[in-house]
Structure formats: structure tokens, C-alpha cells
Amino acid sequence: MLSFRTKIRQSHFVRQFFDSFGFNNNLDLGKIRSRGFTTSLKMSGCEDGVCRRVSSTKSSADESIVTDSQPGVEFKDAGNGLKLKINIISDTMCPWCYVGKKNLEEALKSCEDVEAEINWLPYFLDKDLPDEGKPVEDYYRDNYGDKDAGNRMKPHLIAAGNKVGIDFEKSYANMTHYRPTIQSHRLIEFAKRNGKQNEMVEELFQMYYLQGKHLNNTEHLVQAAEKINLIGAKEY
């Protein structure tokens, strides 16, 4: 009989999980904690250097949503299956996170013996964006030193989106400004407290990337919450 650690090493799901979010595909079993078989994962970058590395699990942007949770996946033996707790640190304005979410969901569908609990944690690609937004070219110039970085990334993003059923050409590819995302992260936290976090993340991704709505617009966020029957979002 294979040991649980051997099953982890050979798991088709684990490989798909690492691939789906661009993590380094490496399980250092010597560093896996004895309690819960926990391993930390670091994001290896989104695409062509357009998304920054995850360098910290905390953000000073909003103390109400700061967390000590680590990015990664926790493995637990669940008899004949595998129970996972997956922590995903993501910014709602990162399109590659939407691609990764779709890939992760597809990986989970292919593994019927896997039970996964997904926990979304906030990250800010640019915590200094003004409320009125920043022109896309200015954003890439200021953050990556090249105003054309986004244009070079677009064909790769569109192709990756098409593979998982996301039409980035519909709205996102023509976006002119990037705006703050902190209000969307607050809404995700509120949804988590009401057991609808993953649904809320999906609705926000659709709202932003497919419908061209704003992640810091209260009206748009309340409409997204209403679509998943999340009560109390406006008051929150």
C-alpha cells in the first residue's frame, strides 16, 4: 500500500493545482509539516512579469481584512480520499487569477475523491491607485517601467482565457483605467462570513472582466452581491 505522502507526490490533482496558478511545481516533502501535511506555495508570477510576486501574506491597506493565513494548500488524509484546504492570495484586478480559478475548478472536477475548501485572501497589486483610476499605460509605466507591457501581455492572456471559457476581448482588453480594489476585497470578506465567498469571487470576476464594471463602485458591487443573494452587502 502506498503511503499517504507517496500518494500526495503522485497525485494528478496536486500537479494540476500547481500548474493552474503558476506555482512552482515542487513538493518538498522534507519540509511538509507533520500536522496536517501543510506546505507553503509562492506565486511564481502571472505572465511575462505583469503580475508581481506574492511576497507577503499581509497588507496594510485595510486592517479589517489582514490575515495571518499562508498561501498554499493543506493536505489531510480523508480515508480513501483527499481533503484539501486551499488558501489563495489574489487581487480581483489580476486577470491571471481568474484564469487560475477556472483551471483549479477544472482540476477539482477531475478528482472525485478530493474534497476542497477554498479560502480567498486579499492582495493589492497597487494599493496606491486613486479612486478615479489610473490610465492603463501610466499604470504599466509606473509599476513595470514600460507602458507597453500590458499590450504585449494581451495576446497571451486572451489565448489563455479562451482555453478556459473567458472572453477577455469582450471588455477587459479595451479597459482604459485601473481602479482600486479594496472595496471588492471587503465584499469578499463579507461573503465569506455568510458562506458565499467563492460565489462572490466568481461574480466579481465576471462583473469586472466580462461586463466592464468597476471594482470600487458601490452600486456595481451591490448588484453583484444581489446576483448571488448575499443579503446586507449595501449596509456592510
Side-chain angles (χ1 to χ4, degrees):
M1 178 179 292
L2 295 176
S3 69
F4 181 56
R5 290 191 178 191
T6 301
K7 286 191 285 186
I8 290 176
R9 186 188 294 113
Q10 296 180 354
S11 169
H12 174 62
F13 168 79
V14 170
R15 182 168 297 276
Q16 284 187 298
F17 171 78
F18 275 76
D19 290 344
S20 68
F21 272 89
F23 293 123
N24 296 321
N25 194 350
N26 177 32
L27 274 179
D28 186 348
L29 297 179
K31 295 181 180 179
I32 291 181
R33 301 175 189 171
S34 59
R35 290 181 56 193
F37 297 98
T38 302
T39 181
S40 294
L41 309 178
K42 294 275 186 165
M43 190 173 282
S44 61
C46 295
E47 185 74 14
D48 294 339
V50 172
C51 293
R52 295 172 177 169
R53 291 175 180 270
V54 172
S55 57
S56 172
T57 59
K58 293 185 178 181
S59 170
S60 59
D62 182 5
E63 292 182 358
S64 69
I65 53 178
V66 167
T67 175
D68 290 327
S69 297
Q70 294 291 323
V73 54
E74 179 178 322
F75 302 90
K76 290 186 178 180
D77 196 349
N80 295 326
L82 189 66
K83 187 175 182 179
L84 307 179
K85 182 177 180 180
I86 303 170
N87 290 328
I88 301 173
I89 292 183
S90 165
D91 196 352
T92 44
M93 69 175 285
C94 171
W96 293 100
C97 292
Y98 194 13
V99 174
K101 179 179 184 293
K102 292 296 187 182
N103 282 328
L104 175 59
E105 290 170 347
E106 192 63 28
L108 286 170
K109 288 179 184 178
S110 69
C111 299
E112 296 180 357
D113 60 342
V114 171
E115 179 184 345
E117 175 188 343
I118 300 175
N119 183 33
W120 291 87
L121 304 170
Y123 184 73
F124 301 91
L125 289 173
D126 189 339
K127 63 182 179 61
D128 297 319
L129 287 173
D131 287 341
E132 67 273 14
K134 177 183 284 189
V136 170
E137 289 189 349
D138 292 349
Y139 170 84
Y140 285 110
R141 183 198 62 222
D142 294 346
N143 286 275
Y144 305 104
D146 184 355
K147 67 180 181 63
D148 294 320
N151 288 328
R152 288 200 303 274
M153 176 266 291
K154 279 182 184 179
H156 304 288
L157 176 64
I158 291 170
N162 288 337
K163 289 181 180 179
V164 295
I166 304 171
D167 184 5
F168 284 114
E169 291 184 280
K170 187 173 183 179
S171 178
Y172 180 73
N174 300 312
M175 194 170 292
T176 61
H177 288 69
Y178 290 151
R179 292 174 171 83
T181 60
I182 190 169
Q183 298 294 350
S184 67
H185 288 297
R186 285 174 171 153
L187 183 57
I188 291 171
E189 173 63 23
F190 179 67
K192 177 183 177 180
R193 298 175 188 180
N194 289 272
K196 294 192 173 188
Q197 189 186 41
N198 207 50
E199 293 175 70
M200 191 72 262
V201 171
E202 176 64 29
E203 190 60 44
L204 288 173
F205 279 158
Q206 289 188 22
M207 178 193 87
Y208 182 58
Y209 296 108
L210 305 182
Q211 301 168 23
K213 295 183 179 180
H214 300 162
L215 292 167
N216 70 331
N217 182 292
T218 301
E219 181 181 354
H220 294 170
L221 294 174
V222 170
Q223 289 173 355
E226 290 175 346
K227 285 187 177 181
I228 65 167
N229 296 315
L230 180 61
I231 307 300
K234 186 174 183 179
E235 292 74 15
Y236 181 77

